[in-house]
Amino acid sequence: MLRTPTDETRLRILAWLKEPGPAADGVTTDAVAERFSMPHPVAVTHLRLLQATGMLRTSRSEGRVHYHRDEMRIAEVARMFEKGW
C-alpha cells in the first residue's frame, strides 16, 4: 500500500510531512494536491489510505482537517519490515 511499482507518492507525502513546516502544522488535502501537482480527489485518496494504515493522524483547525505523521505507527511498521514481515 505504501509503494507501488510505478508510483511512490505516499512515501513522498510521508517524507514531506517529516520536514519542519509540515511536521509542526500538519497539511491539508489542498496543500498535498498543490505540492505534488495532483487533482484534489487523488490527494484525498492518498491521505485516506495513509490514515487507514495508521501512518497519519488528523487534527482540526479552523474547520479544516490537517494530516500529521504518526511516528509511533511508522516506527512499528518499519520494525515489521526489518523483521522480514
Side-chain angles (χ1 to χ4, degrees):
M1 183 177 289
L2 291 176
R3 184 181 317 163
T4 62
T6 59
D7 187 5
E8 295 185 351
T9 301
R10 288 182 285 279
L11 289 174
R12 292 186 326 204
I13 291 169
L14 286 173
W16 180 49
L17 283 168
K18 198 170 187 177
E19 293 178 9
D25 304 326
V27 296
T28 63
T29 305
D30 291 337
V32 171
E34 181 179 328
R35 168 72 179 208
F36 296 100
S37 301
M38 64 178 66
H40 188 269
V42 174
V44 169
T45 298
H46 285 301
L47 292 169
R48 285 185 180 164
L49 285 169
L50 287 167
Q51 184 182 12
T53 62
M55 303 291 186
L56 296 181
R57 56 184 173 76
T58 61
S59 64
R60 286 196 172 271
S61 175
E62 299 175 12
R64 302 194 70 185
V65 175
H66 293 259
Y67 292 86
H68 310 265
R69 288 171 51 109
D70 186 329
E71 296 299 341
M72 290 182 66
R73 175 67 177 149
I74 291 170
E76 179 182 292
V77 170
R79 282 192 301 276
M80 286 191 289
F81 279 105
E82 287 172 2
K83 292 179 181 179
W85 177 72

